[in-house]
Amino acid sequence: MKGNSIMSTSVESFAELGLSEALLKALTEIGYETPSPIQAQCIPILLDGHDLLGMAQTGTGKTAAFALPLMEQIDVKLMKPQALILTPTRELAIQVAEALQSYAKHLPGFHVLPIYGGQSYTIQLKQLARGAHVVVGTPGRVMDHLERKTLNLDNLKTLVLDEADEMLRMGFIDDVEWILEHTPEQHQTALFSATMPEQIRRVAQKYLVEPREIKIKAATATVAAIRQVYWQVSGMHKLDALTRILEVEDDFDAAIIFVRTKTATVELADKLNARGYAAAALNGDLNQQMRERVIDQLKSGALDIVIATDVAARGIDVPRVSHVVNYDIPYDTEAYVHRIGRTGRAGRNGNAILFVAPREIRMLRTIERATRQPIAPLTLPSRADVTNKRVTDFKAKVAEVISTEGLDFFANIVSQLCEEQDVGAEEVAAALALMAQQGKPLQIAGEDPAPARPFARDERRPSPFTERDPRKPRQEDRGGDRPRFEDRPRRDDRPARPAPAGDMVRYRIDVGREHGVEVRDIVGAIANEAGIESRFIGRIGLYEESSTVELPAGMPAEAANALKRTRIRGVPINLRPDEGRPSGNFGAERRFAGGERKFDGDRKFRKKNFDR
Ligand code: AMP
């Protein structure tokens, strides 16, 4: 395999990569300014027709890295699947399909179809019959359709395995191999994986033809003088969090805020201006003169905040920049190091704040490794913190006026007011203080969100649920909702907690500890293949040769059938109602409640299992 590591990208525009006008136009409209490193490396290789092995995690821009080249190969007039993308979860399938559809804005007639376990076959069959140019699916369901001959890959040009290590972790690797065995020989294959465990490397060796290998090499760097913290995005909009943080930060003077798209630079600048900050956007649309003007204004203090994309902020050297905020997480560690290097200049202290969505945790850890420094979690300032800070600043301002200004004229007015209103000086002062707030009240209203649980170290390999959760709202935004089963009511009508034991049915499956199965494999497979949200999956008893799992009563035949065919770690699980005694020693059990996965070493349950 030919190795290739990305240290930096000299590619400035998507046009340089040889993409067609229709895609370039869409990218401009979406606001992508420059290719991310993984895109700069992968797109030419894939356009050249090579197979590719990419080590990249979520947040690097890998979706566009494989999507754009495969879209170039599509013959829109031919309504047959010409590309297949396999993803470990339905959420990712939907997300990838959405990304492709957005890039296809100027490709009339282009159609991408997500297919995944848990969705009704009737609907999928109809959609497949209608035709699609690209199919994005989870392995189990894709395999099913291939077996039923409802998905025909005779015209396949590109096959992508996305998040291959996750597919391995969730026990889908045999299905993936089955699919690879059953696709026509002549096609291009791209495999992306955040890590490269032996089994994935083996699959790559077996099914990829002379692949080019791409990985984002972590740039190690010393960033000692900079305080680095992260905020786990949750419970509050990023913009509100940003303004709270900036307001309370002690040594705040000026900030550069990094976002991904030029559209976002402008939007955020507008919003910050509306909130009273002197902010401006700095992006690739600005000519040299305008760019210099913005930087000069930041230097002189006419601006306090500049919202920039990576390229536009390259090389900025403004000593008063006390803070860098990574509003959107950078694509790689090198970009991170460049970004935070915009603060702590000329021997001053610098602060770097990183916003991290739960699914981006891997990137956070990668950055920590590359910079060889831990990044501490930041507790979002509370309303009281903000109020205290405002009051302290207010007092300082009043004290300054007392010590520097001649106040006789005003003292006289206060005396008059005291006399006329028959009140004390304190009351007059309080009224003046209230008036002095000038649209920025000292006390802020509203609720504090529940504090986010900081990432624990052992969550480096998060479960599909915790990792995928943030993708759920995307679906809800689109007005759709994930049914528990196909015919369940909408989320709003559903109980927030799993039904009590009476409404649960216990099933047995033919995989256990001796197959190397863990509770999370079972939850992952069931959640994916039957479309049951993890919070509705009840207790799981893990034994040597088999396991039990509690699922809501009233499972439709379709979901039950899907589960009968489901494999975990390559073993068919053969789900059936549990009637017998446990077939081995009790291993572990887990209970899920209220959407949170908790270990429950509940003795009652353990005993119950043995007593049966
Ligand atoms: P991914 O790693 O593919 O999940 O992408 C992470 C995020 O980066 C998505 O929100 C993309 O829309 C965004 N993104 C990907 N490539 C670019 C780019 N070249 N410029 C700006 N944003 C991008």
Side-chain angles (χ1 to χ4, degrees):
M1 287 181 214
K2 289 190 185 153
N4 209 338
S5 289
I6 303 171
M7 283 302 291
S8 64
T9 167
S10 54
V11 182
E12 297 280 329
S13 73
F14 282 99
E16 282 173 58
L17 297 175
L19 294 169
S20 65
E21 275 307 313
L23 290 182
L24 292 176
K25 196 161 170 228
L27 294 176
T28 307
E29 287 170 14
I30 296 167
Y32 289 10
E33 200 172 69
T34 30
S36 73
I38 194 98
Q39 291 162 359
Q41 295 282 328
C42 292
I43 292 173
I45 292 173
L46 290 171
L47 285 177
D48 273 352
H50 297 287
D51 279 5
L52 185 130
L53 181 60
M55 255 177 96
Q57 56 211 5
T58 299
T60 51
K62 70 176 156 58
T63 313
F66 63 72
L68 297 170
L70 77 78
M71 291 174 73
E72 294 288 4
Q73 319 269 341
I74 302 289
D75 173 2
V76 180
K77 285 190 264 14
L78 178 68
M79 211 21 150
K80 297 270 164 59
Q82 297 161 53
L84 171 66
I85 302 166
L86 294 178
T87 66
T89 64
R90 61 161 73 196
E91 286 81 12
L92 187 57
I94 291 166
Q95 190 185 327
V96 168
E98 282 176 354
L100 264 83
Q101 206 61 61
S102 72
Y103 305 145
K105 203 168 161 201
H106 299 291
L107 294 176
F110 177 88
H111 193 50
V112 50
L113 177 65
I115 57 172
Y116 41 80
Q119 196 188 26
S120 119
Y121 274 98
T122 329
I123 295 176
Q124 279 177 5
L125 291 176
K126 244 188 238 157
Q127 290 173 327
L128 281 165
R130 219 177 290 141
H133 299 107
V134 180
V135 170
V136 190
T138 49
R141 192 49 74 95
V142 166
M143 192 171 123
D144 262 9
H145 283 292
L146 286 173
E147 272 181 327
R148 294 169 176 223
K149 306 232 179 314
T150 41
L151 173 62
N152 180 324
L153 296 179
D154 287 350
N155 294 285
L156 192 77
K157 292 178 188 149
T158 317
L159 176 63
V160 179
L161 311 181
D162 193 12
E163 301 200 353
D165 51 352
E166 282 292 299
M167 294 202 269
L168 171 71
R169 199 170 70 77
M170 292 174 70
F172 298 149
I173 201 69
D174 291 343
D175 294 356
V176 170
E177 285 205 51
W178 188 96
I179 294 166
L180 286 163
E181 294 284 349
H182 289 79
T183 37
E185 288 250 313
Q186 285 304 319
H187 64 77
Q188 181 181 30
T189 312
L191 186 158
F192 287 88
S193 200
T195 56
M196 215 37 88
E198 190 41 44
Q199 278 147 295
I200 298 297
R201 203 159 270 285
R202 190 181 52 74
V203 168
Q205 266 156 8
K206 193 161 165 200
Y207 297 98
L208 269 53
V209 183
E210 293 180 20
R212 301 292 196 273
E213 206 169 325
I214 293 291
K215 70 172 164 214
I216 298 187
K217 197 166 170 189
T220 48
T222 331
V223 283
I226 301 169
R227 161 183 159 253
Q228 298 177 69
V229 291
Y230 77 88
W231 175 60
Q232 179 187 341
V233 179
S234 69
M236 190 190 258
H237 192 275
K238 281 206 235 183
L239 176 65
D240 294 323
L242 174 71
T243 51
R244 262 199 198 191
I245 292 169
L246 291 185
E247 194 166 336
V248 171
E249 284 288 298
D250 271 337
D251 47 358
F252 180 79
D253 193 357
I256 299 181
I257 299 177
F258 284 93
V259 294
R260 287 213 154 157
T261 62
K262 51 189 167 195
T263 336
T265 61
V266 177
E267 277 172 15
L268 192 52
D270 287 349
K271 285 182 182 149
L272 287 171
N273 278 314
R275 290 183 181 214
Y277 288 93
L282 186 71
N283 62 43
D285 282 351
L286 268 55
N287 62 31
Q288 191 53 25
Q289 201 189 346
M290 286 151 81
R291 180 175 183 273
E292 275 163 21
R293 195 160 162 258
V294 170
I295 295 169
D296 284 345
Q297 285 178 322
L298 186 65
K299 273 192 188 142
S300 70
L303 284 173
D304 289 329
I305 300 181
V306 161
I307 302 98
T309 52
D310 285 301
V311 177
R314 217 174 267 166
I316 294 184
D317 186 2
V318 177
R320 70 179 276 263
V321 171
S322 57
H323 286 71
V324 161
V325 180
N326 290 281
Y327 196 80
D328 294 334
I329 198 163
Y331 299 117
D332 59 7
T333 56
E334 209 199 7
Y336 178 80
V337 172
H338 276 294
R339 285 178 176 191
I340 72 169
R342 303 304 107 218
T343 182
R345 301 193 74 86
R348 301 191 196 193
N349 289 334
N351 300 276
I353 298 167
L354 174 65
F355 285 2
V356 185
R359 73 187 179 95
E360 293 161 344
I361 178 133
R362 271 205 174 115
M363 184 56 94
L364 168 69
R365 301 304 176 207
T366 308
I367 291 170
E368 283 184 314
R369 274 198 300 277
T371 56
R372 301 217 183 92
Q373 277 181 30
I375 302 179
L378 173 85
T379 312
L380 209 58
S382 66
R383 281 188 306 144
D385 295 336
V386 176
T387 300
N388 285 343
K389 180 71 170 35
R390 288 184 185 179
V391 169
T392 309
D393 290 351
F394 178 73
K395 283 182 186 165
K397 222 182 276 169
V398 174
E400 196 192 327
V401 172
I402 291 173
S403 64
T404 58
E405 305 283 338
L407 295 175
D408 293 350
F409 175 76
F410 298 93
N412 194 23
I413 298 177
V414 173
S415 303
Q416 287 171 20
L417 277 167
C418 291
E419 220 161 276
E420 286 160 20
Q421 302 299 320
D422 194 20
V423 290
E426 221 165 74
E427 258 171 289
V428 173
L432 293 171
L434 189 142
M435 286 163 66
Q437 295 181 121
Q438 286 170 339
K440 193 175 171 187
L442 292 175
Q443 287 172 293
I444 62 164
E447 288 290 307
D448 277 328
R453 192 167 52 92
F455 296 124
R457 296 278 143 173
D458 59 4
E459 278 182 305
R460 278 175 202 202
R461 307 194 60 200
S463 79
F465 311 100
T466 47
E467 188 165 62
R468 303 285 170 233
D469 265 4
R471 289 174 180 168
K472 281 187 201 161
R474 294 177 63 105
Q475 251 184 301
E476 281 149 15
D477 286 344
R478 297 178 324 146
D481 194 8
R482 290 203 306 157
R484 171 156 57 134
F485 295 132
E486 214 43 38
D487 54 352
R488 291 283 148 144
R490 290 183 55 79
R491 166 170 299 169
D492 306 351
D493 309 328
R494 284 191 234 133
R497 292 201 37 164
D503 292 326
M504 303 291 275
V505 175
R506 189 155 57 168
Y507 293 88
R508 184 161 292 273
I509 53 177
D510 285 346
V511 286
R513 290 163 73 203
E514 70 171 24
H515 305 103
V517 165
E518 291 174 38
V519 168
R520 63 182 180 184
D521 299 325
I522 298 176
V523 176
I526 291 176
N528 252 323
E529 293 305 311
I532 304 173
E533 282 181 35
S534 59
R535 67 194 171 113
F536 290 110
I537 300 176
R539 300 171 193 208
I540 289 178
L542 198 55
Y543 305 94
E544 280 305 311
E545 296 161 12
S546 68
S547 305
T548 56
V549 52
E550 289 179 357
L551 299 175
M555 180 165 24
E558 204 162 70
N561 283 338
L563 286 176
K564 264 185 210 141
R565 282 191 307 274
T566 300
R567 289 159 177 264
I568 299 180
R569 300 208 171 239
V571 181
I573 66 170
N574 185 27
L575 180 110
R576 60 201 179 277
D578 178 38
E579 278 143 13
R581 290 172 57 87
S583 59
N585 289 335
F586 178 80
E589 61 188 38
R590 220 166 251 221
R591 180 200 192 104
F592 300 92
E596 244 200 271
R597 309 182 61 201
K598 286 195 220 142
F599 185 78
D600 181 10
D602 174 0
R603 282 220 199 92
K604 256 189 289 165
F605 181 57
R606 189 179 294 201
K607 197 155 176 287
K608 203 164 118 200
N609 268 308
F610 276 115
D611 288 346
R612 284 185 52 118

